[in-house]
Amino acid sequence: MNSPLAEVLDGQHAAELRKAARALLKEPLLRAHGPQADDFRLVRRHAAELREWFDRNTGWGLRADAGTARLLKTPGSLDGPLHPARDATRAGAPFTRRRYVLLCLALAVLERSEAQITLGRLADHVVLEAGDPHLTAAGIHFTLDRRDERLDLAAVVRLLLGLGVLRRVAGDEEAYVSGAGDVLYDVERRVLAGLLAARRGPSTIVAATLDERLAELVAETALDSDDLRFRAMRHALTRRLLDDPVLYYDELTDAELAYLTRQRGFLTARITELTGLVAEVRAEGIAMVDPDDDLTDVRMPEQGTHGHVTLLLAERLAAAGTPLTTGDLRQTVRELAAEHAGFWSKSAREPGAEGDLVEQALGKLAALKLITRQGDQVAARPALARYAVGEAVVVEPRTARAPRTPHQRKANQR
């Protein structure tokens, strides 16, 4: 029988371990200094236990040293929902292909740079790197003479600042974009070295297509025994339960579905014990729901005009029963703009704004695995049913509570 003090210490240990694990899932690269310092210290304190758990259950490695803690996450599936990098400005625009190419070129330059570098010098070296014949043959050209190209490079730098690869010493990116000044950065080599999370170096991959290259980048070792195959399935399923908003049964192979059916209780219990996520099991699949609602990069419902539009379109799609076209949804938004004119922003009520509103909403719903899109057709997926509006229920006044509208429901879906 444990003493009261032992129980308190065990509870404190479990709470710290859970907080450390959640910190890594939320930010897989933690730094010893800055706003992440407290989380970093927790991870360092429990590194051995965390390393064992992630290695056994997900196959993800954990590197922790005096300066950084890096959870080397790889996806459970390569065809999951897209969660692109986004500009750190208020607009939060998703990265385009050009920005991703600039990001890779900038990292290549920083790998060989001195301890400090200016934005102008970084730009000059990126232009030189972009002259590689393979990039030119792929249609990639950069001069960084145009303002839109400089804006893209500034967005890349802001991402690297957020990751801790760069630390601003003097200057401002906006001055560089406008041609009125430059920016000086320190290069944090320890953070830079920990960015890549792959099972093999990208330069060793010879596959031609993008899908083949991605598959080789995260390929497991040869699975030549039942034990190795079962371990690979456990890793893949646990990754998807941790990372994906919903794990649908129809996405699994027969072998994966059979394994999940047998081991569902064990897999979900292990995740709940470490992270506090709670399994919501439906006929169509499983969602690990976060009661604290902070282990996500896409929230729904969300405040503001865009959040309201997304929720209203979710209700429309859930109630439709059949796929709708994007034209149908744009017409819905035009009608809703008139209905909610007193609550929506002025820009959202302007003629033509419905196109961007619909695309942003559908992007969020797709990222949450609540819809599928095929051409112009948009179809609800089973998990979207939680946003459907049901019939009103009348209760006796003495037992009634203030009703919550569908717009006030909190789904807490990851």
Side-chain angles (χ1 to χ4, degrees), residues 266-335:
F266 170 77
L267 294 177
T268 56
R270 292 281 286 172
I271 293 173
T272 299
E273 180 183 16
L274 180 73
T275 67
L277 300 175
V278 180
E280 180 180 293
V281 181
R282 300 285 183 103
E284 303 85 6
I286 305 172
M288 297 303 298
V289 179
D290 182 14
D292 296 332
D293 194 29
D294 67 353
L295 284 186
T296 182
D297 57 345
V298 181
R299 284 185 170 81
M300 182 177 171
E302 193 174 41
Q303 294 184 347
T305 299
H306 290 293
H308 194 199
V309 171
T310 302
L311 186 57
L312 292 173
L313 289 184
E315 292 177 351
R316 173 80 169 87
L317 285 161
T322 58
L324 299 177
T325 67
T326 52
D328 295 332
L329 298 176
R330 287 194 292 269
Q331 177 59 36
T332 296
V333 171
R334 283 192 288 269
E335 295 168 358

Side-chain angles (χ1 to χ4, degrees), residues 155-179:
V156 166
V157 166
R158 284 191 289 266
L159 177 64
L160 295 176
L161 286 166
L163 291 171
V165 175
L166 296 175
R167 185 170 61 85
R168 190 187 295 111
V169 176
D172 180 78
E173 289 77 33
E174 292 303 320
Y176 165 79
V177 170
S178 62

Side-chain angles (χ1 to χ4, degrees), residues 62-128:
L62 173 60
R63 298 175 185 167
D65 55 35
T68 61
R70 177 70 162 111
L71 182 62
L72 299 169
K73 295 176 64 178
T74 52
S77 170
L78 294 177
D79 56 1
L82 297 178
H83 293 261
R86 293 184 176 275
D87 194 347
T89 61
R90 185 175 180 181
F95 267 37
T96 60
R97 178 173 181 263
R98 184 165 71 179
R99 287 187 178 183
Y100 278 119
V101 173
L102 277 173
L103 173 60
C104 293
L105 293 176
L107 290 172
V109 170
L110 292 173
E111 183 66 30
R112 299 189 295 271
S113 74
E114 301 294 333
Q116 288 190 322
I117 192 170
T118 64
L119 183 47
R121 187 171 179 79
L122 175 63
D124 291 340
H125 283 283
V126 164
V127 171
L128 289 175

